[in-house]
């Protein structure tokens, strides 16, 4: 399953015609896009357990997407 086919914590992004990260990928440079993904990996890793949210799986979702972008599917 591809990262775009899944969502952690609901369906609010998947229910949109275009997911926000698809827009970001289209308008950001490759380096900016990779930086965005890495930043979210750091964010969700660091806040895991501090918020009522499935941050571990959100982090892993961004890791999956980053691996796809880097070609490490």
């Amino acid at each position: 399953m591809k990262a775009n086919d899944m969502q952690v914590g609901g369906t609010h992004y998947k229910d949109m015609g275009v997911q926000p990260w698809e827009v970001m990928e289209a308008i950001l440079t490759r380096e900016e896009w990779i930086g965005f993904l890495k930043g979210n990996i750091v964010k969700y890793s660091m806040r895991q357990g501090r918020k009522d949210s499935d941050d571990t799986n959100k982090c892993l979702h961004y890791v999956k997407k980053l691996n796809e972008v880097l070609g490490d599917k």
Side-chain angles (χ1 to χ4, degrees):
M1 177 182 291
K2 298 268 189 192
N4 282 8
D5 298 329
M6 55 190 290
Q7 182 181 334
V8 178
T11 62
H12 45 282
Y13 295 125
K14 287 190 56 53
D15 291 343
M16 296 179 179
V18 178
Q19 291 188 40
W21 72 4
E22 292 173 312
V23 174
M24 286 182 265
E25 185 174 17
I27 64 172
L28 298 174
T29 66
R30 178 174 169 80
E31 292 77 21
E32 290 169 334
W33 174 230
I34 290 169
F36 167 80
L37 295 171
K38 288 180 176 181
N40 276 287
I41 291 166
V42 170
K43 173 181 75 174
Y44 288 120
S45 295
M46 291 185 71
R47 81 172 200 188
Q48 194 283 322
R50 299 177 183 271
K51 188 175 178 200
D52 186 22
S53 178
D54 190 359
D55 290 330
T56 299
N57 284 316
K58 287 180 182 182
C59 174
L60 294 173
H61 190 204
Y62 277 95
V63 169
K64 182 174 189 63
K65 183 66 174 178
L66 179 61
N67 285 336
E68 291 173 5
V69 169
L70 296 176
D72 300 332
K73 301 173 188 170

